[in-house]
Amino acid sequence: MNMYGRIRTLLLPLLLLATTLTAAAQNVKWSSSTEHLEGDQYRIVLEATIPAGYHMYDMGPYEGGPNATSITFTPGEGVALDGGIEQLSTPHRYFDQMFQMEIGTFSGKAQFAQRVTLKAAQATLKAQVEWMICDDTSCMPPEDTELTITLPESSAATASIETVPTTPTSEVVAPAAKDAAGSKGLWALIIEAILWGFAALLTPCVFPMVPMTVSYFLKGEGGAAMGRLRASLYGLFIVLLYTVPIAAIILITRIVGGDAVTADIFNWLATHWLPNVIFFLVFMVFAASFFGAFEITMPSWMVNKTDSKADTKGLGGIFFLALTLVLVSFSCTGPIVGSVLIKSTSGEFWTPIITMLAFSVAFALPFTLFALFPSVLKKLPKSGGWLNSVKVVIGFIEVALGMKFLSVADQTYHWGLLDREIYLAVWIVVFSLLGLYLLGKIRFAHDDEVRHLGVGRLALAIVVFSFVVYMIPGMWGAPLKGLSGYLPPITSQDFVLGANTASAAPSDSIAGKPKYSDFLHLPHGLEGFFDLEEAEVYAAKVGKPLFIDFTGHGCVNCREMEARVWSDPEVLEILRNDYVICALYSDDKKELPEEDWVTTDAGKVLKSLGKINSYYALKTYGVNAQPYYVLQGADGQPLVEPRGYDLSVEGFVAFLRSGLEAYRNGK
């Protein structure tokens, strides 16, 4: 087997494992339990375990808004419902600008309860549950399931008023949703980890380790081939020393507690106020360390003992050299490693392993290259005060990034401590101070005096002050789209200057009243259809291609696309004049007449408009995330590759024009 074949054989199981874990992480777990209250009174508790990074709407209801969670209990013989359904979990409530209403969402876990009266020795009842989850980039179509709950015999329940411990009696896992949205966040974390890995090399406790690396490998024996092997092993050991401990901790957690426990840990880390406040404080401590208030170091006895073993020959010496590097550089890499891991805890349980692998590979790569080519050392700049300056700059960045965790806790628990303008004010001050530091106007205890300004410092200062100028209009409500992932929502801002009053001219009228248009509508005055068959007939009649919009009432990103992309005058003109628009809502609850029902390949009868549209999207295009746009020709086939969530107006215009060109060439 050649080298490519070996690499492919080694990577295939890892890719399969990653795919499996991603799919599993997008499932919603529903479980039921019973609690004996007193006498013949019981409480049924339903619990939803929501995957990390997603949220589920509460029970609403939301007229014209997102898809609320719906639970319907059907009691069997011998049991009666006592009152209505109670939401045990407190939802995160906020005013949603897209829907123009206050909505509530759950993250991590959500519990609902129903009291019942048992009138027989044993009884069962069914719970029909329907829900929808969304993340920051897309929404999954609504899912539903049915749980069967069996109540115990009356004799088994004592007359004690004490609550019986909750014990699961049934568990259902919703089908995995196919969506690549999560990969965007993972790739962003990987890229950020790589950049931090390279930046760590420029810190004052890492950079001086380069000459030690070179001197060790200059003494190597065994020829060029052995030198390459030794240098490669050195890099591999550095990667393993950073990655294996993290992987071991996560793996042990998974083995001991199972997938659910591991997911619960990361859900808790991402949403609860306590870890977010702790992360904020840790970032501030790291920043203080970088500013020179104190040093975070490993115990000296550990470093000395490891360093003494690095002079031995063979693989042991290389390993202890790598371990010495990791321990000695800890005072600089420790805060960076902590930052990388903390930022990755909102992902799935394997995300920290991948981000730490990316960081360690980037960190080890320069040392591996120096070990392979010792002569490169001559071209490197000498150690000096510039290294401490790099450390201080990272400290300012740590302060800015740490504010995000305090913001998460503030928004989740409605403390009102860190509204958008306060958050922006802190960032403006932090980056203004960073700009003054780069210009030499501010100095810390370990800094050398800046007697003249270099080109590099000047360029960085220009970038930093430009960023400050960009942020200032946000104090009066400017959207600052480039920072939307870090800032609190604009709804938390007390004063917003002006409002978006843009509107579009009405589209050409469509003869007749399209099906479902009495309760479904298109944005910006556009006219179109909400039934694919009807739209196809009309498109054939007028000789235009179809623009199929797979959308949803609860799809925030669909509204964002309509507000930021569809609103563009060129996009509106093309949609109005050159396409027949068909919007297919995947979460609409309208129950259709029996003749319009659809039976799936698995034999399930779909009765609602949303479920039928969702099934069509999954069966035809293999997707169940919105938004999803298809340009369809006269033969019922896509004219070009469909398009998902992408806020590039130019790209959307090119997408629409390419479809028109393909349609005209195919006629």
Side-chain angles (χ1 to χ4, degrees), residues 515-570:
K515 204 172 181 179
Y516 313 128
S517 60
D518 55 333
F519 60 92
L520 296 177
H521 309 280
L522 290 172
H524 307 300
L526 294 168
E527 293 186 2
F529 298 88
F530 308 96
D531 178 80
L532 183 59
E533 185 176 343
E534 188 179 31
E536 288 175 336
V537 172
Y538 184 81
K541 177 182 176 181
V542 298
K544 293 181 179 180
L546 261 178
F547 175 84
I548 304 176
D549 171 24
F550 289 100
T551 185
H553 296 295
C555 175
V556 175
N557 293 296
C558 300
R559 305 293 86 80
E560 189 175 10
M561 283 290 296
E562 293 161 2
R564 298 175 62 177
V565 178
W566 289 34
S567 61
D568 181 79
E570 188 174 4

Side-chain angles (χ1 to χ4, degrees), residues 429-513:
V429 170
V430 167
F431 283 98
S432 296
L433 291 175
L434 173 57
L436 293 174
Y437 175 79
L438 291 170
L439 294 176
K441 303 300 182 182
I442 298 176
R443 286 194 327 178
F444 289 86
H446 300 92
D447 284 324
D448 296 333
E449 182 180 357
V450 179
R451 299 188 178 184
H452 62 275
L453 196 62
V455 175
R457 274 182 173 262
L458 177 62
L460 287 175
I462 291 173
V463 171
V464 170
F465 281 119
S466 298
F467 182 54
V468 171
V469 172
Y470 168 76
M471 288 190 290
I472 290 175
M475 298 292 291
W476 291 273
L480 304 183
K481 297 177 183 178
L483 295 176
S484 58
Y486 287 93
L487 299 179
I490 199 169
T491 53
S492 67
Q493 188 148 338
D494 295 330
F495 175 71
V496 176
L497 182 65
N500 183 15
T501 58
S503 61
S507 61
D508 296 334
S509 178
I510 294 175
K513 188 175 182 180

Side-chain angles (χ1 to χ4, degrees), residues 42-53:
Y42 289 81
R43 185 170 74 161
I44 309 297
V45 178
L46 302 184
E47 181 174 276
T49 301
I50 306 165

Side-chain angles (χ1 to χ4, degrees), residues 282-462:
V282 168
F283 267 68
M284 297 305 106
V285 171
F286 287 166
S289 173
F290 280 149
F291 290 148
F294 48 82
E295 289 290 334
I296 303 174
T297 60
M298 285 289 188
S300 57
W301 64 265
M302 185 183 297
V303 176
N304 294 334
K305 188 173 182 180
T306 303
D307 186 44
S308 64
K309 296 184 178 181
D311 291 331
T312 60
K313 296 182 179 180
L315 297 181
I318 299 175
F319 171 79
F320 282 106
L321 179 67
L323 183 58
T324 301
L325 169 65
V326 171
L327 295 178
V328 170
S329 62
F330 180 78
S331 61
C332 290
T333 59
I336 295 175
V337 169
S339 304
V340 171
L341 288 178
I342 289 172
K343 287 183 67 63
S344 69
T345 54
S346 60
E348 317 306 339
F349 73 89
W350 50 274
T351 304
I353 301 175
I354 294 179
T355 52
M356 186 48 45
L357 177 64
F359 168 85
S360 58
V361 168
F363 179 74
L365 182 60
F367 286 96
T368 305
L369 293 176
F370 294 141
L372 284 170
F373 311 105
S375 59
V376 176
L377 179 64
K378 298 177 182 178
K379 302 179 181 179
L380 291 178
K382 301 297 182 182
S383 300
W386 67 273
L387 289 176
N388 191 72
S389 298
V390 171
K391 193 175 179 181
V392 171
V393 169
I394 294 176
F396 279 110
I397 296 174
E398 291 275 338
V399 172
L401 295 180
M403 298 300 297
K404 176 63 177 174
F405 297 100
L406 184 59
S407 174
V408 170
D410 181 68
Q411 293 173 50
T412 303
Y413 291 89
H414 307 287
W415 295 337
L417 300 175
L418 200 61
D419 292 343
R420 187 174 185 265
E421 64 268 34
I422 299 176
Y423 190 103
L424 273 172
V426 173
W427 270 40
I428 290 171
V429 170
V430 167
F431 283 98
S432 296
L433 291 175
L434 173 57
L436 293 174
Y437 175 79
L438 291 170
L439 294 176
K441 303 300 182 182
I442 298 176
R443 286 194 327 178
F444 289 86
H446 300 92
D447 284 324
D448 296 333
E449 182 180 357
V450 179
R451 299 188 178 184
H452 62 275
L453 196 62
V455 175
R457 274 182 173 262
L458 177 62
L460 287 175
I462 291 173

